[in-house]
Amino acid sequence: MQASRRLSHAELVVAIVLTTAAIRLHAAPQGEAGPALSCDPDGQANVLPADAIQACIDRAPAFSTVEIAVGKYVLNHQVVVSTSLIVRGTLGAGASCVAAPEDCATLLAAPDFADQWGLLVVRSTTDVRVEHLVIDGNRAERTESAAARSCVNGDNTYGFNASVLECDGCSVDDLVSRNAVCGTGMVWT
């Protein structure tokens, strides 16, 4: 009769990781696209664009698509994605935001925008895709802002345009990040 054997810490960690990966693979969407929800940030009277976009994202079911209409939307606070979604701008006449940014939805920082991590934050989730958007930090209008002062004092996180933090299986496609106040246009952890 063989004596029972205790698993080492490394063996136990590998077993947990493999089990978790198998569960995530099984639970992942199998190519089924969820519903597409149109989001027109200018379509509601007395609602700021950041609030309208956040409301669209908050009411979207997991694995659905939130489509932001072509236009320029001045954001006074960040928009947070913490559910598995596709967040995309609808394309105008251009085939790409890189080639024709004027034909895309543009998220533009208000002159007093001062949220840490940027205009768009994808946080603590999985399987988010951001595509066909322009994220503009509006550096020219924010050089005297609180965000710019944070940059001068060594904290670049207030000058970022966007952040993807703790997100497995997340991706971007045809995304333009321009005019960051400081630091990088986009941080990915």
Side-chain angles (χ1 to χ4, degrees):
M1 187 161 171
Q2 207 172 14
S4 63
R5 180 175 163 277
R6 293 184 67 178
L7 292 175
S8 72
H9 178 72
E11 291 170 320
L12 187 57
V13 168
V14 168
I16 290 170
V17 167
L18 290 175
T19 301
T20 302
I23 291 169
R24 293 182 101 217
L25 180 61
H26 179 68
Q30 302 299 315
E32 298 176 26
L37 306 166
S38 292
C39 185
D40 182 1
D42 285 338
Q44 301 175 34
N46 302 320
V47 177
L48 296 171
D51 295 329
I53 295 169
Q54 188 66 63
C56 292
I57 289 169
D58 291 347
R59 76 171 171 261
F63 304 107
S64 63
T65 300
V66 174
E67 293 184 338
I68 302 170
V70 173
K72 187 177 285 186
Y73 307 107
V74 178
L75 304 186
N76 63 332
H77 65 79
Q78 71 189 190
V79 173
V80 178
V81 179
S82 58
T83 304
S84 300
L85 294 173
I86 298 172
V87 178
R88 77 163 57 119
T90 56
L91 287 172
S96 158
C97 293
V98 173
E102 64 280 357
D103 290 334
C104 295
T106 299
L107 308 181
L108 179 72
D112 61 347
F113 182 89
D115 291 349
Q116 188 176 30
W117 304 113
L119 295 160
L120 179 67
V121 176
V122 177
R123 174 172 284 161
S124 303
T125 189
T126 61
D127 304 309
V128 172
R129 191 165 70 223
V130 179
E131 57 189 31
H132 311 307
L133 287 172
V134 176
I135 303 174
D136 191 326
N138 197 12
R139 181 184 322 124
E141 296 296 321
R142 295 175 64 207
T143 57
E144 301 297 321
S145 68
R149 286 189 297 279
S150 291
C151 294
V152 169
N153 292 328
D155 188 353
N156 288 353
T157 60
Y158 290 90
F160 293 169
N161 284 350
S163 299
V164 178
L165 309 169
E166 302 167 4
C167 190
D168 293 329
C170 292
S171 62
V172 297
D173 182 36
D174 190 32
L175 179 74
V176 175
S177 178
R178 63 184 183 195
N179 303 318
V181 173
C182 65
T184 182
M186 181 173 213
V187 66
W188 197 293
T189 65

